[in-house]
Amino acid sequence: MNWPYHFISLDAAQSARQRHLLDSYALFAQCSILILLLALQIPHLIRFVKSNHNSSRDGYAHQRPERLATARRGVSPSRALWIRLKWFMGEEILRGWGTRWEWFVVGVWTMWLLVLIFRDTGDDYLHLTRRFAIVPASQLPIHYLLSAKSWSPIQYLTRLSHEELNPYHRLLGRTLTVLFTIHGTLYLNFYVQSSLLLKRLQNLDVILGLTALSTLLLLNTTALARIRHKNYRLFFIAHVILSVSLLPTLYYHVSHIRIFVLETSLVYILLILQRNFSSHTSTATLTPIPSTSLLRITLSTPKPLSHHPGQHIYLGFPATPTHPLNKLRLNPFTISSLPTPSQKNLTTKTLIIRPLTGPTSTLLRLSTTLSNKATPLTLEGPYGASSHFPDFLTDYDRVLFVAGGVGATFTLPLYRDLRQRLVASADTRSKERVRFVWSVRRRAEAKWGLEQLREEDGGDALPEGCEVYVTGEGRRIAEAGAKDEGEDGSIELRERERLLEGEDGDGREGEDGMESDSTVRYGRPDLKAIVNDVFDGKGTGKVAVLVCGPMGIGEALRKEVGRWVWMGREVFWHNEQFGW
């Protein structure tokens, strides 16, 4: 089959028509994003109307909270099919490669862009070549906007937080890079076929085009998961420098895409202003937690700073001559304390962190020299998906929280907040509706959380439904927890190897700063038994499952929960990770 596109010489009228088509399709590609976002509001509008209708018809607004979830029991076959489909699409294609749903959305959008690229190009080779540039260029503003931490209209319209939108940002970036690469390859082929390559390589527009393409390829290379996880600081700095330098390169490459470059530049400036307006100067008190590598950071800021349980902030550390980039706000830390009213014009937040290499190592050094003394820090936020969570009190029959190590900084505030609301609502089933499972390597690592729980209950025992497991190496494990994993489906919840640096004890009693405690369990939590107990098989009530910890715990828990989803149970699932 012959190649359908040819080099065609155009007269003035034909050139003007081609330019009109190029600009029109690029504009339509950009406007179609708005159409898609507005279309996403239809399901939300339908749910809102149905909710108001049911509330007025059945008097739901006057029912006790514990009756709201149970009143919606019973899943139709079509609903069960939809539940299974959502779960299937939420599975990762490959570990660390994103979910099927993310690839599906970006894949469909890529097909739409290809339709706009090929349509009405006829057999004109250069027309097609230019479409492969101007159509993806029209997507640059939305691509940059997807990286916004907050204040983004996309977040409001999709009800997704910045870390949930980040996979789409990465996948769209790869798509645009492929399209721009095809554009460059087609042009280079044209120059070779026309014997113009050496001449055109000396022209500024071609030099800038190849520079922009090299920048995009380098951007995508430094954004690979292996590099992000190995050296997040390198990824962040390279991403900022390259994304900024790309804009003037494209602006002076050709004039036809300048409107999109200017739009992208405006978005980028707004993102910088947003991060600065979301930043606060605070004083921090650093307190090492005995017998662990954890630090407790108590932040005090003069500005009112409200947050939802489970949200996180970014910290900028004091810069030093050897670490001048510490002041960059690179590291997210979950707020482990509940929102509290401001006292004496100060808002107080508590963080529990495990210092590693990089900027957080500065905090470890400061804690040894300035323990319990005020240290100036810059914080930005709060951010996080928990601001978009449903109301677990009224919308779900049961809620399961699972944490591994410092992942409890996310799940514990959510658990405490829900328990307080259940008690305030006088829910007679509060003890059986909520369950909290926390696995730590050493018992001392759970001390900060146990203190919070016991302070609320005013006793020494943990609340019913709250379980803490110690899985440290060297400790005698209960026989039930020492069974082969293939027999009972349980898993040892370990911190990643890099999180265990600096820990040398085996967690024996008397060496971890805590006295013997009968409220914690030693061994591995049996996730299969825990999940089965939560779902219990006695009904079709809705269940929410939230997990935060090493990657293995999320994968194991999702496998066990998935068995119940395929039986038709409706589940809200959230796995909090900072692997973006």
Side-chain angles (χ1 to χ4, degrees):
M1 183 176 67
N2 294 328
W3 177 248
Y5 289 91
H6 309 283
F7 303 149
I8 300 176
S9 298
L10 304 178
D11 56 29
Q14 290 172 325
S15 296
R17 182 178 182 276
Q18 183 186 104
R19 172 50 47 201
H20 173 73
L21 288 174
L22 287 167
D23 294 339
S24 298
Y25 274 96
L27 181 61
F28 187 69
Q30 189 173 76
C31 292
S32 58
I33 301 171
L34 300 177
I35 297 174
L36 174 64
L37 292 174
L38 292 176
L40 290 176
Q41 306 314 300
I42 297 176
H44 296 297
L45 179 61
I46 293 174
R47 282 195 293 269
F48 176 77
V49 172
K50 289 178 63 177
S51 176
N52 284 348
H53 175 69
N54 291 335
S55 178
S56 60
R57 185 188 62 184
D58 300 327
Y60 274 20
H62 303 289
Q63 291 186 12
R64 293 166 61 89
E66 65 267 26
R67 295 180 57 192
L68 290 176
T70 56
R72 299 170 186 166
R73 291 188 174 185
V75 179
S76 65
S78 59
R79 179 66 178 172
L81 179 63
W82 173 245
I83 291 170
R84 297 186 186 105
L85 179 62
K86 283 178 59 179
W87 187 263
F88 174 79
M89 295 300 289
E91 298 279 359
E92 285 191 314
I93 293 180
L94 292 173
R95 189 174 188 180
W97 280 56
T99 65
R100 294 186 178 101
W101 175 252
E102 292 161 359
W103 281 83
F104 173 77
V105 170
V106 177
V108 169
W109 191 251
T110 301
M111 296 300 296
W112 172 242
L113 295 180
L114 289 173
V115 169
L116 298 180
I117 287 172
F118 280 92
R119 186 174 175 81
D120 287 340
T121 56
D123 61 348
D124 191 337
Y125 180 93
L126 289 180
H127 189 177
L128 178 67
T129 301
R130 290 161 183 156
R131 284 278 187 97
F132 268 106
I134 197 166
V135 169
S138 70
Q139 306 298 293
L140 287 174
I142 193 71
H143 175 57
Y144 276 60
L145 193 57
L146 282 170
S147 67
K149 293 290 188 295
S150 66
W151 296 7
S152 167
I154 300 179
Q155 293 184 22
Y156 290 108
L157 293 175
T158 61
R159 279 73 167 175
L160 297 175
S161 64
H162 78 95
E163 69 268 26
E164 293 173 306
L165 290 173
N166 207 264
Y168 299 98
H169 170 74
R170 289 198 300 268
L171 289 175
L172 180 59
R174 293 167 188 166
T175 298
L176 299 184
T177 299
V178 170
L179 296 179
F180 280 124
T181 301
I182 295 175
H183 163 76
T185 302
L186 291 175
Y187 249 126
L188 289 175
N189 177 64
F190 169 71
Y191 296 147
V192 171
Q193 297 292 328
S194 304
S195 302
L196 296 172
L197 182 61
L198 294 179
K199 177 183 177 181
R200 290 294 282 138
L201 287 177
Q202 301 175 49
N203 297 132
L204 181 61
D205 61 331
V206 176
I207 294 174
L208 290 175
L210 292 175
T211 301
L213 187 56
S214 301
T215 301
L216 284 169
L217 293 173
L218 190 56
L219 262 171
N220 280 269
T221 301
T222 56
L224 292 173
R226 183 179 296 272
I227 295 178
R228 293 200 318 271
H229 296 159
K230 185 73 175 179
N231 194 329
Y232 186 82
R233 186 191 295 193
L234 171 64
F235 152 74
F236 182 87
I237 295 173
H239 218 65
V240 171
I241 294 175
L242 293 174
S243 60
V244 171
S245 62
L246 176 66
L247 297 179
T249 306
L250 290 175
Y251 183 87
Y252 290 105
H253 171 51
V254 289
S255 61
H256 311 299
I257 63 172
R258 287 181 178 175
I259 180 63
F260 304 122
V261 176
L262 290 175
E263 291 174 357
T264 308
S265 301
L266 178 61
V267 169
Y268 197 87
I269 292 172
L270 291 176
L271 295 183
I272 295 175
L273 292 176
Q274 174 266 315
R275 295 203 68 174
N276 286 328
F277 278 119
S278 299
S279 301
H280 309 271
T281 302
S282 68
T283 56
T285 303
L286 311 179
T287 308
I289 297 179
S291 302
T292 72
S293 59
L294 303 178
L295 285 179
R296 187 196 310 269
I297 304 179
T298 304
L299 301 169
S300 298
T301 175
K303 295 183 179 180
L305 187 64
S306 61
H307 76 278
H308 295 271
Q311 285 192 302
H312 58 271
I313 60 175
Y314 287 81
L315 285 184
F317 310 130
T320 64
T322 56
H323 298 83
L325 299 178
N326 280 356
K327 63 181 180 180
L328 295 177
R329 301 180 294 277
L330 307 180
N331 299 79
F333 299 103
T334 306
I335 303 171
S336 61
S337 57
L338 290 177
T340 55
S342 300
Q343 296 180 355
K344 297 181 180 179
N345 296 323
L346 290 177
T347 302
T348 302
K349 309 290 180 188
T350 302
L351 312 176
I352 303 294
I353 74 167
R354 188 191 302 276
L356 304 173
T357 58
T360 54
S361 61
T362 301
L363 292 178
L364 188 60
R365 291 192 298 269
L366 288 174
S367 66
T368 59
T369 58
L370 299 174
S371 181
N372 294 318
K373 294 183 180 179
T375 303
L377 294 179
T378 302
L379 64 89
E380 176 194 336
Y383 305 123
S386 62
S387 60
H388 302 292
F389 282 171
D391 190 341
F392 299 124
L393 178 67
T394 60
D395 296 342
Y396 290 86
D397 288 87
R398 294 191 174 187
V399 184
L400 171 63
F401 298 96
V402 178
V406 291
T409 56
F410 170 77
T411 55
L412 185 57
L414 289 165
Y415 168 71
R416 292 174 57 202
D417 177 69
L418 182 56
R419 282 194 70 246
Q420 290 178 5
R421 296 174 60 206
L422 284 168
V423 172
S425 67
D427 189 340
T428 57
R429 301 188 305 117
S430 60
K431 295 180 180 179
E432 64 182 60
R433 286 188 61 185
V434 184
R435 188 164 180 178
F436 178 81
V437 178
W438 184 11
S439 177
V440 293
R441 186 174 185 267
R442 303 180 63 197
R443 188 172 50 183
E445 295 176 356
K447 183 177 181 180
W448 63 271
L450 296 177
E451 290 174 347
Q452 293 180 2
L453 292 170
R454 288 167 176 159
E455 182 179 350
E456 286 183 358
D457 279 20
D460 293 332
L462 293 178
E464 189 172 344
C466 179
E467 304 163 20
V468 178
Y469 293 82
V470 177
T471 63
E473 296 177 1
R475 175 173 297 280
R476 177 173 296 181
I477 306 299
E479 288 190 9
K483 293 180 181 179
D484 186 277
E485 291 183 10
E487 296 178 1
D488 60 6
S490 62
I491 182 171
E492 182 170 2
L493 308 183
R494 299 172 179 268
E495 290 286 329
R496 290 178 182 173
E497 183 178 352
R498 64 185 180 86
L499 297 181
L500 298 178
E501 296 176 1
E503 294 189 359
D504 52 7
D506 64 2
R508 291 176 296 174
E509 294 183 37
E511 294 183 3
D512 56 11
M514 294 178 66
E515 298 178 356
S516 179
D517 190 347
S518 60
T519 61
V520 298
R521 309 179 186 188
Y522 298 102
R524 299 171 294 180
D526 187 341
L527 294 182
K528 182 176 182 179
I530 292 171
V531 170
N532 289 345
D533 185 54
V534 170
F535 283 84
D536 73 29
K538 296 178 182 178
T540 56
K542 297 165 65 176
V543 178
V545 180
L546 299 96
V547 58
C548 184
M551 189 174 295
I553 183 176
E555 293 174 347
L557 186 64
R558 185 174 178 89
K559 178 182 177 181
E560 300 302 333
V561 173
R563 294 186 301 105
W564 290 94
V565 173
W566 288 104
M567 295 179 193
R569 294 295 291 272
E570 190 163 359
V571 175
F572 171 87
W573 168 267
H574 181 82
N575 185 1
E576 183 79 0
Q577 291 182 333
F578 290 106
W580 357 292

